[in-house]
Amino acid sequence: MSRLVPLLDESRPLVMGILNVTPDSFSDGGKFLSPSAAIEHANRMIRDGVDIIDVGGESTRPGALAVSSEEEMARVMPVIEAIREHSEICISIDTSSPEVMLESSRLGADIINDVRAMRRSGAVEAAASTGLPVCLMHMKGEPGTMQAAPFYEDILREINDFFLERIAACSKAGISSDRLVLDPGFGFGKKPEHNLQLINKLGCFKEHGMPLLVGLSRKSTIARITDNGLVGSVTGALLAVARGANIIRVHDVAETVSALSVASAINAESLEAEL
Ligand code: 7PM
């Protein structure tokens, strides 16, 4: 049984901390490439109160080059293994590769987070065979070209139609709906105004009855509004949660946990609930 299920049952927003093991990642500048540095970062996030650690070995930044699954495997597996060696923290694997899904699951990962929503050949079957929960993210186009000229007639409708199609594909492969998490894909083939709209209207993605994940931390839409990426990202996280997000994917775990604790205390009008 995945460690995600009991966490989601707590019915409070969960914080997913980003652990990049790519040499070219946008915010971390390659700091976390070596397994030992990656594990140090993971331990720090655990101390800071993270609920889920999202391990990613493929850069999906706009314009990024494709990574072979061998390369991705070599980056990610030592890190998953090392985290699992000394912690029961919930581990998410950020991948589109069937091989990486299977091997991560074998090493004790709990969630498959796929920015391509299982559209790669063999992915949906691989994910189904692991029995793990899956996050289906909306992306228009591919990372290399998605920011060229994003165009939507009705973005909310288009994302919901995409979710319906991917939910059906998963269901056909034997992934039941109670194992799915949906993510509108902030920054993936969208203009800044699209990104702001999908957070403001997040509630319209609730119609599928599934938990929602949002990742806006340190992304360029936030950077266009404010020079303070930390405050901007935490503010975005709070508003996303207020509009129904269940999981927030962030770089700044301690600050996001603090902000969400205050929000929860206000919503519950109790201090005890947080102690
Ligand atoms: C460079 C630019 C490196 C952007 C990495 C990124 C999401 C995700 C990413 C998200 C889910 C980042 C992104 N973003 N998975 N993976 N949702 N489910 O900022 O929004 O971390 S990669």
Side-chain angles (χ1 to χ4, degrees):
M1 174 62 84
S2 163
R3 292 165 186 83
L4 179 65
V5 175
L7 278 179
L8 281 170
D9 284 348
E10 288 186 37
S11 65
R12 60 174 175 91
L14 302 176
V15 174
M16 171 185 268
I18 300 168
L19 185 58
N20 276 318
V21 288
T22 58
D24 57 348
S25 80
F26 151 80
S27 299
D28 300 333
K31 253 195 300 181
F32 303 114
L33 184 59
S34 82
S36 66
I39 289 137
E40 234 175 84
H41 186 211
N43 285 333
R44 171 64 189 275
M45 292 198 284
I46 292 169
R47 284 198 301 276
D48 288 344
V50 81
D51 296 296
I52 304 162
I53 295 180
D54 189 43
V55 181
E58 184 212 7
S59 176
T60 39
R61 76 189 294 170
L65 296 175
V67 175
S68 73
S69 32
E70 291 73 39
E71 173 65 27
E72 206 187 325
M73 203 85 101
R75 289 175 183 177
V76 152
M77 297 312 157
V79 175
I80 294 183
E81 232 175 340
I83 297 172
R84 191 47 84 231
E85 211 170 290
H86 65 268
S87 171
E88 285 296 308
I89 193 78
C90 186
I91 299 175
S92 156
I93 171 71
D94 192 340
T95 192
S96 300
S97 151
E99 293 84 7
V100 174
M101 293 174 190
L102 292 171
E103 185 63 7
S104 309
S105 163
R106 207 181 61 77
L107 295 180
D110 302 280
I111 311 167
I112 299 169
N113 171 26
D114 184 4
V115 299
R116 293 180 185 77
M118 306 289 150
R119 285 178 290 168
R120 206 174 258 178
S121 169
V124 73
E125 294 81 8
S129 78
T130 66
L132 293 179
V134 164
C135 176
L136 300 173
M137 196 195 79
H138 175 268
M139 167 166 59
K140 188 154 183 169
E142 269 288 310
T145 50
M146 66 189 177
Q147 293 307 114
F151 171 81
Y152 297 87
E153 204 128 299
D154 179 346
I155 187 171
L156 304 176
R157 154 81 47 96
E158 198 167 319
I159 293 175
N160 267 335
D161 286 348
F162 174 86
F163 286 150
L164 286 174
E165 192 267 319
R166 297 319 298 155
I167 292 165
C170 287
S171 151
K172 201 174 151 204
I175 305 175
S176 63
S177 60
D178 61 356
R179 269 168 58 198
L180 296 177
V181 174
L182 303 176
D183 181 341
F186 191 101
F188 287 85
K190 284 132 192 144
K191 294 186 175 149
E193 57 268 33
H194 295 138
N195 291 321
L196 299 174
Q197 187 186 4
L198 61 85
I199 299 300
N200 193 31
K201 302 284 161 38
L202 198 70
C204 76
F205 305 123
K206 282 271 161 194
E207 66 179 53
H208 309 281
M210 294 171 186
L212 300 180
L213 189 155
V214 166
L216 47 72
S217 183
R218 308 255 173 186
K219 286 185 179 172
S220 64
T221 295
I222 305 291
R224 284 211 191 190
I225 302 169
T226 173
D227 288 341
N228 194 323
L230 171 60
V231 171
S233 299
V234 171
T235 303
L238 277 175
L239 290 177
V241 164
R243 286 159 173 69
N246 305 91
I247 306 175
I248 299 289
R249 185 177 175 279
V250 306
H251 296 88
D252 307 289
V253 170
E255 292 83 356
T256 308
V257 167
S258 295
L260 292 179
S261 304
V262 173
S264 293
I266 290 169
N267 287 325
E269 297 178 48
S270 97
L271 270 182
E272 290 78 24
E274 307 311 312
L275 298 175

